[in-house]
Amino acid sequence: MILKIPEHTAILELPTSRVWREESGIVCAISIKAKEQTVEQAKASLEMMRNYLGDEKVCMLIDVTHSSESSRELRAFAAEALPKMVKAVAMVSESALGKMIANLFFNLKSQPYPVQMFNDEHEARTWLKNFL
C-alpha cells in the first residue's frame, strides 16, 4: 500500500475499501483484497459513502494496489454513480495488476471528471489540489 491511514482518523469501513476525509478536503480510499462485489453490494456501499461524505462532490485519492476485477455490470453502475459524487480522481498503486485494473475501469468509458494514475502519492495530491 502507498497510502497510510492517519492515527485518530474516523474511517468508513466498506467491503472493498477503507475511506476517510482529510482536513484538506481530499477523500482518501485504500482498496482492500476482497471478493468481487455484486451491484447490490456496490449500491449499499455507495449509500454508505453518501451518508459519510454528504452531497458535495469530492476529490478522491485512491490506493488501488489491492483492487479486484469487477464485472461489466459493476463497472457500468460505477460509471453512472461516481460522476454524482466525484470532481476528480487520482490513483496510486504499488502493483502492476492494481494499475491495470484501475486503468481498465477508468479507460473503458471516458469519465466526465479528470482521472489520473500516479506512481507517487505527493504528485497525486499536488494534481488533486487543482480541483479542490
Side-chain angles (χ1 to χ4, degrees):
M1 285 185 302
I2 294 175
L3 296 182
K4 304 286 185 240
I5 300 171
E7 287 187 30
H8 312 294
T9 300
I11 304 296
L12 174 63
E13 295 276 349
L14 298 172
T16 59
S17 61
R18 293 185 177 96
V19 180
W20 68 96
R21 183 190 295 260
E22 297 183 336
E23 287 183 22
S24 67
I26 293 173
V27 173
C28 297
I30 298 175
S31 297
I32 57 176
K33 290 183 181 182
K35 293 193 311 187
E36 182 181 331
Q37 280 191 318
T38 65
V39 172
E40 292 74 29
Q41 290 168 326
K43 285 180 181 178
S45 291
L46 191 65
E47 188 60 30
M48 291 172 69
M49 283 272 294
R50 278 196 189 113
N51 290 336
Y52 179 76
L53 297 173
D55 292 332
E56 72 177 282
K57 287 187 175 187
V58 298
C59 293
M60 293 193 74
L61 173 57
I62 307 171
D63 186 333
V64 296
T65 299
H66 297 295
S67 289
S68 302
E69 279 192 66
S70 55
S71 68
R72 178 176 289 159
E73 294 79 19
L74 190 58
R75 290 191 306 268
F77 166 73
E80 180 183 316
L82 287 178
K84 298 171 186 168
M85 298 178 64
V86 173
K87 284 194 250 183
V89 174
M91 298 174 290
V92 293
S93 179
E94 290 181 326
S95 148
L97 180 60
K99 289 177 186 176
M100 183 185 78
I101 290 170
N103 280 321
L104 178 67
F105 176 81
F106 285 105
N107 290 326
L108 280 178
K109 183 174 191 226
S110 65
Q111 302 302 316
Y113 49 84
V115 178
Q116 185 90 20
M117 176 65 77
F118 294 90
N119 293 320
D120 177 79
E121 176 185 351
H122 178 73
E123 289 177 15
R125 288 178 182 283
T126 300
W127 180 80
L128 270 180
K129 287 178 183 174
N130 293 310
F131 304 99
L132 288 173

